[in-house]
Amino acid sequence: MLRILLRGEFMAGDIHAGADALVVDIRDHVATALRDLAEGDTASIRLGEELISVKLLQKITFGHKIAIAPMAQGSEVRKYGEVIGRATEAIDVGMHVHVHNVEGIRGRGDQADREGQG
């Protein structure tokens, strides 16, 4: 049983054998790798009750994010059912999603200053 702390409450869910990555919320654009995955691998990803397959376009390290939906440059990136950032370039399904192609948008004092909020 997987227990996840979200908004101060623990949520429990089953992890089924055979998954290489996990999606926390079905609205997410990314899955989290449960082990190191090589470029060219086909990852089995648990998406709710469904097991989907995604061919990896890049190496994905344990704990890092895999794109399971295409994201246009400037679009929101969702994980845990929440927006975690904005794509700084187009991201294809199977790509590594991390700081090199996603800009965080929470707690950005530099952006608040530019927008006259800081």
Side-chain angles (χ1 to χ4, degrees):
M1 178 84 57
L2 172 69
R3 293 175 50 84
I4 300 169
L5 181 64
L6 185 64
R7 295 190 193 108
E9 297 179 25
F10 277 102
M11 301 175 62
D14 294 328
I15 294 183
H16 302 274
D20 298 310
L22 179 68
V23 176
V24 175
D25 187 290
I26 61 169
R27 298 171 294 169
D28 291 352
H29 299 120
V30 298
T32 303
L34 298 174
R35 61 182 186 85
D36 289 345
L37 300 164
E39 179 179 343
D41 283 356
T42 298
S44 295
I45 300 173
R46 179 63 56 188
L47 179 59
E49 294 299 314
E50 187 179 359
L51 192 63
I52 63 171
S53 295
V54 171
K55 183 169 176 135
L56 301 180
L57 303 179
Q58 299 169 315
K59 172 181 146 183
I60 312 290
T61 306
F62 168 78
H64 282 234
K65 296 175 291 296
I66 304 164
I68 61 167
M71 292 166 268
Q73 182 177 0
S75 67
E76 294 177 337
V77 178
R78 188 175 298 271
K79 182 178 179 182
Y80 312 119
E82 301 291 332
V83 175
I84 62 164
R86 183 177 302 111
T88 58
E89 61 186 56
I91 301 171
D92 293 326
V93 171
M95 287 180 69
H96 181 212
V97 178
H98 199 52
V99 297
H100 66 282
N101 56 8
V102 174
E103 172 184 53
I105 58 175
R106 293 183 178 212
R108 292 284 309 265
D110 61 328
Q111 289 182 347
D113 288 342
R114 271 189 282 165
E115 297 169 7
Q117 299 171 2

